Amino acid sequence: ITRACVDYDTYKNKGFLFDAENALKRDMISDALKRHRGNKSKAAEALGVSRAGLRKMMQSLGLESDLGH
């Protein structure tokens, strides 16, 4: 990810770096899933991670229940 791809102002007020990083991950994962109509394999590929890695990230970020998958 390059800085040009990220709206820095959206995340700079999130507080600690950890919180901003997690907010960015949540947004990127949600966006990838929307673009790929919920297909986790395609979303993972677009994000450059394995499907299992995506699933683990989603669980750790609390996205599984939010997305209904």
Side-chain angles (χ1 to χ4, degrees), residues 2 4 7-9 18 20 23-24 29-31 40-42 45-46 51-53 57 59 62 64-65 67 69:
T2 63
D7 179 9
Y8 177 71
D9 291 331
F18 178 79
L24 177 60
I29 291 169
S30 295
D31 182 60
K40 290 180 186 174
S41 295
K42 288 184 180 181
E45 183 179 339
R51 188 180 188 286
M57 274 192 272
Q59 289 171 343
E64 284 290 325
S65 59
L67 298 173
H69 295 84

Side-chain angles (χ1 to χ4, degrees), residues 9 13 31 34-36 39 44 47 54 56 64 67:
D9 291 331
N13 295 321
D31 182 60
K34 286 176 190 170
R35 281 187 285 123
H36 296 285
N39 185 313
L47 292 167
L54 175 61
K56 286 180 185 179
E64 284 290 325
L67 298 173

Side-chain angles (χ1 to χ4, degrees), residues 1-31:
I1 299 174
T2 63
R3 186 175 174 130
C5 295
V6 177
D7 179 9
Y8 177 71
D9 291 331
T10 300
Y11 299 99
K12 74 177 182 181
N13 295 321
K14 296 287 184 186
F16 293 104
L17 179 61
F18 178 79
D19 297 328
E21 178 185 2
N22 285 340
L24 177 60
K25 285 180 181 179
R26 281 187 200 97
D27 288 351
M28 289 183 69
I29 291 169
S30 295
D31 182 60

